[in-house]
Amino acid sequence: MKNKEYLLIPGPTPLSEEVYEALGQEIIGHTDPRFIKIYKHAIELTKELFRTNAEAYVISGSGTLAMEMAIVNTVSKGQRLLVISHGYFGDRFVPMAEAFGIEVDVLQAKWGEQVSVEQVVHQLKKHDYKAVTVTHVDTSTAVMANISQLIPVVKRAGALFILDGVCASAALDEDMSKSYGGAENKIDIVLTGSQKAIGAPPGLAIIAFSEQAVAARESMEQIPAYYTDIKNWRKVMEDPGAYFATPPVNLIYAYESAMKLVLEEGMEARVERHDKYGKAIRRSLHAFGMRSLAKEEVAAPTLSCILYPEGIDDKEFRRRLQVKGIVVAGALGELAGKAFRIGHMGNTTPEMLEYTIRQMAVVLEEMGHKVSVGAALKAFREVLAVETV
Ligand SMILES: *Cc1c(COP(=O)(O)O)cnc(C)c1O
């Protein structure tokens, strides 16, 4: 691995050799048949990842652009959107939808907890919602949504199910062909970015639409968007030689390469691997006397939000870790200074995580907090060693 630092933040994440190699290939024209082939393949792999035969879009932008693309193509001004929020990124849908004149209601969980399914059922009875947004993993709180319970509830209410997968896609199951308690109860939109569990550089907005979501766009005439209107991009996705706006050639090389690796490993293996990483890293950090913000039942496989023990200064802790070549992120909002966030997704390996545990032990000791590195490593290895069938 080329990465000299362990970039254990919730995105961007470490890149594999293959992806660096792809990124640095000679630039060619975006209508060159050699590029068209790669772009086409990248779009096909995206459909394969989400198991959809309907539509996928891969364009320049970040995860936020994909969020905007999801709502602007499905919900009209004056229609209602319900936002289920487990933190900062869930909340982001609110001002975004308001900017387009959409009527927004939001169900916010206490940070570290999930919105209850009963609350969602209750809210869905109050109004006719065109769509509901759910953040698969909210990167501020490291809380994972329980989509298998939410999908049937949302679909029975006649709303589109929009899933923000920016910190989950390629690590958690987001199979758009799967039915949840009824044939019609499927995910309508998954949106994501390139730089988190997929393991490509930042810069791509990625989104898949079900047939029902496509139909929602078709039933709207004009929408208050141009760059993010899927109607402008459709011809490019069908034939990447067509022009709408110049695609980021080298990023597409890198994304295609990262997606090949994702699908070679396979989603089943990736879901299991991330699940183990999450459990293992949290068990080991708990052995240091630290606590996770989220309860284990709702804690994400891709990153963790860990509360500091009494007396540990956030900036100093992270500065000392960075000197040892490990980068973790601070916490957001009210938690800033009280917790740190550690990513364990994509190309992160058990070796990287073990090294991190060792170095964290050193830093905690340096800062006057006595810990047992042996107990933490033992906890980590025990979880990884569990055979899953
Ligand atoms: C990172 C993130 C976003 C925003 O993505 P950008 O690429 O930074 O625009 C949105 N939602 C979630 C869940 C995220 O983790």
Side-chain angles (χ1 to χ4, degrees), residues 356-369:
T356 300
I357 293 165
R358 285 178 195 280
Q359 297 308 318
M360 265 190 198
V362 175
V363 168
L364 288 168
E365 297 255 348
E366 283 172 2
M367 295 178 78
H369 189 80

Side-chain angles (χ1 to χ4, degrees), residues 10 62-64 67 89 92 135 137-139 164 166-167 195-196:
S62 76
T64 306
M67 291 167 74
F89 287 100
R92 176 170 281 194
T135 310
V137 169
D138 201 300
T139 319
D164 174 349
V166 183
C167 204
Q195 79 276 23
K196 298 194 185 177

Side-chain angles (χ1 to χ4, degrees), residues 2 32 88 100 143-144 150 258 285 326 334-335 343 365:
K2 236 180 184 168
D32 185 308
Y88 178 89
F100 294 102
V143 168
M144 167 176 63
L150 293 173
L285 298 181
I326 297 159
E334 274 177 30
L335 281 178
E365 297 255 348

Side-chain angles (χ1 to χ4, degrees), residues 27-33 35-36 39 240-249:
I27 191 160
I28 55 178
H30 57 288
T31 55
D32 185 308
F35 176 68
I36 295 171
Y39 200 178
Y243 173 76
F244 173 58
T246 311
V249 174

Side-chain angles (χ1 to χ4, degrees), residues 20 34 50 98 130 147 200 229 252 273 275 338 354 375:
Y20 277 117
R34 292 168 297 175
F50 300 123
E98 281 171 353
K130 183 72 186 294
I147 65 164
D229 186 349
I252 299 287
R273 173 163 74 80
D275 184 55
K338 296 181 189 146
E354 281 206 10

Side-chain angles (χ1 to χ4, degrees), residues 8-327:
L8 304 182
I9 59 173
T13 59
L15 304 183
S16 62
E17 288 284 355
E18 289 90 335
V19 173
Y20 277 117
E21 179 73 23
L23 190 64
Q25 291 302 302
E26 186 171 342
I27 191 160
I28 55 178
H30 57 288
T31 55
D32 185 308
R34 292 168 297 175
F35 176 68
I36 295 171
K37 197 169 152 217
I38 294 168
Y39 200 178
K40 217 180 168 75
H41 193 216
I43 297 159
E44 277 163 16
L45 294 176
T46 308
K47 289 188 184 176
E48 213 175 297
L49 175 69
F50 300 123
R51 301 231 173 102
T52 179
N53 296 321
E55 298 189 354
Y57 295 83
V58 180
I59 68 173
S60 280
S62 76
T64 306
L65 191 88
M67 291 167 74
E68 191 164 310
M69 213 166 165
I71 54 174
V72 85
N73 282 283
T74 53
V75 189
S76 301
K77 184 175 172 164
Q79 290 183 324
R80 288 193 105 89
L81 176 74
L82 177 62
V83 171
I84 298 176
S85 177
H86 297 140
Y88 178 89
F89 287 100
D91 289 349
R92 176 170 281 194
F93 278 110
V94 177
M96 185 184 276
E98 281 171 353
F100 294 102
I102 293 166
E103 300 291 323
V104 197
D105 291 318
V106 57
L107 294 175
Q108 281 163 320
K110 189 169 157 238
W111 273 35
E113 295 175 10
Q114 280 177 342
V115 171
S116 78
V117 179
E118 293 70 38
Q119 248 181 305
V120 177
V121 171
H122 181 72
Q123 188 64 37
L124 285 168
K125 283 185 188 141
K126 289 192 192 165
H127 300 282
D128 217 358
Y129 290 101
K130 183 72 186 294
V132 176
T133 63
V134 174
T135 310
H136 208 167
V137 169
D138 201 300
T139 319
S140 59
T141 53
V143 168
M144 167 176 63
N146 186 343
I147 65 164
S148 59
Q149 286 191 10
L150 293 173
I151 292 167
V153 162
V154 167
K155 295 301 291 178
R156 269 180 221 133
L160 294 167
F161 190 89
I162 298 175
L163 187 62
D164 174 349
V166 183
C167 204
S169 303
L172 277 77
D173 185 25
E174 295 178 334
D175 181 346
M176 295 177 77
S177 72
K178 197 154 133 185
S179 297
Y180 293 83
E184 298 302 309
N185 302 338
K186 296 180 182 179
I187 301 169
D188 289 296
I189 289 181
V190 185
L191 65 100
T192 195
S194 45
Q195 79 276 23
K196 298 194 185 177
I198 292 172
L204 292 175
I206 299 146
I207 188 164
F209 280 65
S210 69
E211 268 154 33
Q212 223 180 319
V214 170
R217 172 63 192 96
E218 295 310 316
S219 71
M220 297 157 86
E221 304 247 310
Q222 253 196 325
I223 62 167
Y226 181 68
Y227 185 77
T228 48
D229 186 349
I230 59 169
K231 280 196 166 178
N232 286 327
W233 283 106
R234 186 169 291 138
K235 63 177 188 290
V236 184
M237 297 302 120
E238 285 165 0
D239 166 22
Y243 173 76
F244 173 58
T246 311
V249 174
N250 292 56
L251 268 184
I252 299 287
Y253 297 161
Y255 174 69
E256 189 231 13
S257 164
M259 286 290 283
K260 280 199 280 206
L261 296 173
V262 165
L263 291 161
E264 262 164 39
E265 184 179 356
M267 276 313 292
E268 213 170 308
R270 287 181 74 90
V271 167
E272 184 188 317
R273 173 163 74 80
H274 285 89
D275 184 55
K276 280 190 177 176
Y277 284 6
K279 290 185 173 126
I281 195 83
R282 285 187 294 271
R283 279 269 299 278
S284 69
L285 298 181
H286 296 169
F288 285 157
M290 300 201 261
R291 279 195 309 118
S292 305
L293 174 70
K295 282 206 192 79
E296 198 51 37
E297 307 87 80
V298 302
T302 45
L303 88 155
S304 300
C305 181
I306 307 291
L307 300 162
Y308 287 113
E310 201 65 46
I312 299 290
D313 179 76
D314 170 47
K315 286 213 172 77
E316 185 59 16
F317 174 79
R318 288 189 288 125
R319 189 193 65 76
R320 285 175 186 257
L321 262 187
Q322 181 141 21
V323 169
K324 299 181 189 309
I326 297 159
V327 192

